[in-house]
Amino acid sequence: MPIPLFNSIASWLLKKRYHQIELFLKYPAEVQEEVLMQLLSFARDTEFGKKHGFSGILSYQTFKNRVPIISYEELEPDIERSRRGEQNIFWPTHIKWFAKSSGTTNAKSKFIPVSTEALEDCHYKSGKDLLCLYLNNNENSQLFTGKSLRLGGSKELYKDNDTFFGDLSAILIDNMPFWAELSSTPSNRVSLMSEWESKLAAIIKESTQENVTSLAGVPSWMLVLLTNVIEKTGKDHLFQIWENLEVYFHGGVNFNPYHEQYKKLLPRKSFNYYEVYNASEGFFAIQDRNNSDELLLMLDYGIFYEFIPMDTYGTEEQKVLPLWEVEKDKNYAIIITTNAGLWRYKIGDTLRFTSIDPFRIKITGRTKHHINVFGEELIIENAEEALRSICLKTEAEIKDYTAGPIFMEGKEKGGHEWIIEFRKQPENIAYFTELLDNALKSLNSDYEAKRYNNSTLKMPKVHIARENLFYDWLKSKDKLGGQHKIPRLSNKRDYIDELLLVNK
């Protein structure tokens, strides 16, 4: 099929979907309740469904009272049974795929079930919707005249007891229709290569020969790839290689610390950035407007959402709210019920609603990835915004970072310790540290209160990391590329002590 004709047909089909999106924008509560009832009905004869009386649940309130909130550790025995080939435990259709995920660099891996329904009605549907929303906002787009440069996981799939596990991106690539590869680069063979550094060279070799119109991948690793493309080709910027490049679809980590570096690689004001929020457990939200930092929560992917206000999370006063009871500008932990058999599952992410008509969000961090040793409630959103603002003031560029607590010893006050690897260092690290402290005070009143007159917290301590510290650390753990992430904040010193030890 000629490319212009394919472009026209694809655009028409994707825009047609927008009318369905408008339905959940107009009736969010009704759509979410319908999703829940469909999930309960479909899974009522599973082992989990019978145990919790799904056949008798006719309302959200009954569901809330009968089904407990669950963590991965509590679900793990049933997942292990499913991985050994047992079926109909928590989902009625055959579960063949498991997305291996650790979230950060933790050694312990999670195996998230991926059903056929999750593949079709969530992950693949979201990919179409991303294009649909982008095209709806950019009617003159020439996206389909070229290929998408995708940067997925760097692990192959492994077979175990007639089930398969690996990176979610590998599962998605393995199950994609044949025509999907025709619109992507690199080839499936290269995309599924295990060894990151060999894969990087192979991607550059294949993709620089293509007409690339879009990029897709995690910002930190995509930046590594694109920087290498510039070095290998000797070009000044990416438009000299791919002149029709028009959009970067990104997710996985906060984009703010990397934005200025991308603008240097992509110096065209008309270039678009579109953020997504997805995980091994499902695809949740998509940026639905140009030049926005808010994501539209997608409500018809076979996922039912609940939320726990972070001010009650993990306490006896913990509250659990459905979507229609949330409020703007409050921090929530996310609970999901999915079409892969995750029932009231704590995913571990936190978000804040920026709008409730429609429901738009910003990702604020992880329930386990914050620093609250002294009541300062420092979350990733605070850290990322503070670093973004002071990099603009100091013209510094950050490659990676992590932070943890300095615990009180005797009369010694507590504090925060940071290791930051710079692509471009600030001229004065003491001034940078002072700006960081002041920025955190302006963004977080709890941090400000603990820093007042050094009452609880002393000035943060910032270490400059040697070049490639974080890359070498991940490499030593066999976690290069793909979805692997640096743990940004921690209530413990495990990460920071280990990194300080090898920062030589």
Side-chain angles (χ1 to χ4, degrees):
M1 182 184 293
I3 285 177
L5 180 59
F6 178 79
N7 188 34
S8 299
I9 293 172
S11 297
W12 178 79
L13 289 171
L14 291 167
K15 287 179 181 179
K16 193 175 179 182
R17 161 65 177 155
Y18 193 76
H19 296 298
Q20 296 172 313
I21 293 173
E22 287 177 324
L23 183 67
F24 75 67
L25 293 178
K26 191 173 182 180
Y27 304 106
E30 291 83 352
V31 168
Q32 272 285 279
E33 286 189 290
E34 184 180 359
V35 166
L36 176 61
M37 292 304 128
Q38 288 174 345
L39 292 172
L40 291 166
S41 175
F42 194 63
R44 64 186 177 187
D45 293 326
T46 61
E47 187 179 303
F48 193 89
K50 290 177 179 178
K51 178 180 178 181
H52 296 287
F54 280 10
S55 60
I57 298 179
L58 302 176
S59 69
Y60 167 67
Q61 193 59 45
T62 307
F63 171 73
K64 183 177 178 178
N65 292 336
R66 285 192 187 178
V67 181
I69 289 174
I70 196 168
S71 65
Y72 182 83
E73 289 71 24
E74 293 166 305
L75 188 60
E76 187 175 28
D78 285 340
I79 287 178
E80 287 305 306
R81 288 170 56 203
S82 184
R83 288 185 64 211
R84 291 194 296 269
E86 290 187 52
Q87 297 297 328
N88 206 41
I89 300 171
F90 40 75
W91 192 246
T93 60
H94 187 88
I95 292 185
K96 177 181 178 182
W97 306 96
F98 293 84
K100 185 180 179 183
S101 169
S102 59
T104 60
T105 55
N106 293 338
K108 183 176 175 60
S109 294
K110 297 178 181 179
F111 294 89
I112 305 300
V114 180
S115 66
T116 302
E117 291 78 12
L119 280 174
E120 295 296 333
D121 299 332
C122 182
H123 293 291
Y124 290 144
K125 186 176 180 180
S126 63
K128 297 171 189 173
D129 283 355
L130 174 60
L131 297 177
C132 167
L133 291 165
Y134 177 74
L135 291 171
N136 186 67
N137 294 325
N138 301 276
E139 293 186 353
N140 296 320
S141 169
Q142 295 299 304
L143 201 62
F144 294 117
T145 62
K147 294 189 175 184
S148 174
L149 171 52
R150 63 189 180 191
L151 183 59
S154 49
K155 293 290 182 184
E156 60 193 54
L157 293 171
Y158 300 91
K159 187 174 182 180
D160 185 19
N161 294 315
D162 293 322
T163 62
F164 296 83
F165 68 89
D167 281 1
L168 175 66
S169 56
I171 293 172
L172 296 178
I173 290 170
D174 198 64
N175 283 278
M176 278 181 178
F178 76 93
W179 52 262
E181 185 175 6
L182 299 178
S183 61
S184 302
T185 187
S187 62
N188 286 2
R189 178 190 65 80
V190 171
S191 292
L192 295 174
M193 287 175 65
S194 296
E195 205 279 309
W196 165 251
E197 290 170 339
S198 301
K199 176 179 176 175
L200 193 66
I203 292 174
I204 294 171
K205 184 178 180 180
E206 283 194 7
S207 63
T208 51
Q209 307 305 311
E210 300 285 357
N211 174 29
V212 173
T213 54
S214 66
L215 307 170
V218 175
S220 51
W221 293 110
M222 181 62 78
L223 189 60
V224 173
L225 169 62
L226 298 180
T227 302
N228 273 270
V229 167
I230 292 293
E231 290 176 358
K232 294 289 184 184
T233 59
K235 302 296 184 182
D236 296 322
H237 55 75
L238 293 171
F239 297 122
Q240 293 176 342
I241 305 163
W242 302 303
E243 62 176 310
N244 299 315
L245 191 59
E246 64 175 82
V247 61
Y248 173 29
F249 301 112
H250 62 87
V253 299
N254 191 303
F255 189 57
N256 278 344
Y258 304 102
H259 198 181
E260 292 301 314
Q261 296 172 63
Y262 273 90
K263 283 164 68 175
K264 292 180 180 178
L265 294 172
L266 298 157
R268 188 180 286 170
K269 289 184 178 179
S270 61
F271 188 79
N272 287 309
Y273 297 90
Y274 262 62
E275 185 177 0
V276 300
Y277 172 28
N278 65 323
S280 298
E281 293 86 350
F283 202 112
F284 310 123
I286 300 172
Q287 179 183 327
D288 66 316
R289 299 177 295 180
N290 287 344
N291 305 313
S292 173
D293 60 356
E294 301 170 290
L295 308 182
L296 180 69
L297 195 63
M298 306 302 286
L299 305 181
D300 63 351
Y301 287 175
I303 298 175
F304 180 77
Y305 296 98
E306 296 174 275
F307 304 90
I308 302 175
M310 284 304 290
D311 56 6
T312 68
Y313 184 83
T315 70
E316 292 182 0
E317 292 77 35
Q318 177 172 290
K319 299 175 182 177
V320 184
L321 307 175
L323 181 67
W324 52 89
E325 291 183 11
V326 299
E327 299 176 39
K328 275 181 62 177
D329 300 323
K330 284 194 172 183
N331 208 28
Y332 293 98
I334 314 168
I335 307 298
I336 57 173
T337 291
T338 78
N339 51 6
L342 299 176
W343 299 97
R344 305 196 83 196
Y345 177 83
K346 292 190 288 188
I347 190 174
D349 289 344
T350 62
L351 58 76
R352 175 170 51 84
F353 284 92
T354 57
S355 165
I356 56 175
D357 184 20
F359 289 96
R360 291 196 178 100
I361 64 169
K362 284 187 180 181
I363 304 156
T364 56
R366 300 275 295 170
T367 55
K368 293 182 179 179
H369 296 170
H370 62 279
I371 306 179
N372 192 32
V373 174
F374 312 101
E376 67 272 48
E377 290 284 359
L378 184 66
I379 60 175
I380 292 174
E381 184 184 34
N382 301 150
E384 302 280 13
E385 177 57 27
L387 291 171
R388 185 197 66 81
S389 65
I390 60 178
C391 280
L392 287 174
K393 290 180 181 177
T394 62
E395 297 185 345
E397 293 179 1
I398 290 175
K399 193 173 179 181
D400 265 312
Y401 75 91
T402 193
I406 300 171
F407 294 108
M408 294 180 177
E409 287 188 18
K411 294 182 179 180
E412 188 70 21
K413 300 286 176 62
H416 293 170
E417 192 162 12
W418 299 68
I419 303 179
I420 303 177
E421 183 177 343
F422 292 95
R423 194 175 299 276
K424 180 182 177 184
Q425 289 187 22
E427 291 184 7
N428 187 322
I429 193 63
Y431 179 58
F432 183 94
T433 304
E434 183 182 341
L435 288 177
L436 174 61
D437 184 48
N438 289 334
L440 292 175
K441 288 176 185 176
S442 69
L443 291 164
N444 185 317
S445 59
D446 291 317
Y447 177 88
E448 182 182 34
K450 301 302 181 292
R451 281 284 295 122
Y452 181 71
N453 286 336
N454 295 319
S455 59
T456 304
L457 295 176
K458 58 187 176 184
M459 177 74 77
K461 181 186 293 186
V462 177
H463 301 273
I464 298 177
R466 65 168 173 79
E467 186 177 1
N468 292 328
L469 171 68
F470 290 94
Y471 185 94
D472 294 342
W473 185 54
L474 288 173
K475 186 175 182 179
S476 71
K477 297 175 180 293
D478 192 28
K479 291 186 178 291
L480 286 179
Q483 308 301 310
H484 299 299
K485 305 162 194 169
I486 300 296
R488 299 304 198 192
L489 305 177
S490 176
N491 257 347
K492 301 183 293 183
R493 289 191 56 86
D494 300 33
Y495 302 126
I496 201 159
D497 282 341
E498 189 174 339
L499 282 159
L500 284 170
L501 193 63
V502 296
N503 187 34
K504 298 175 182 177

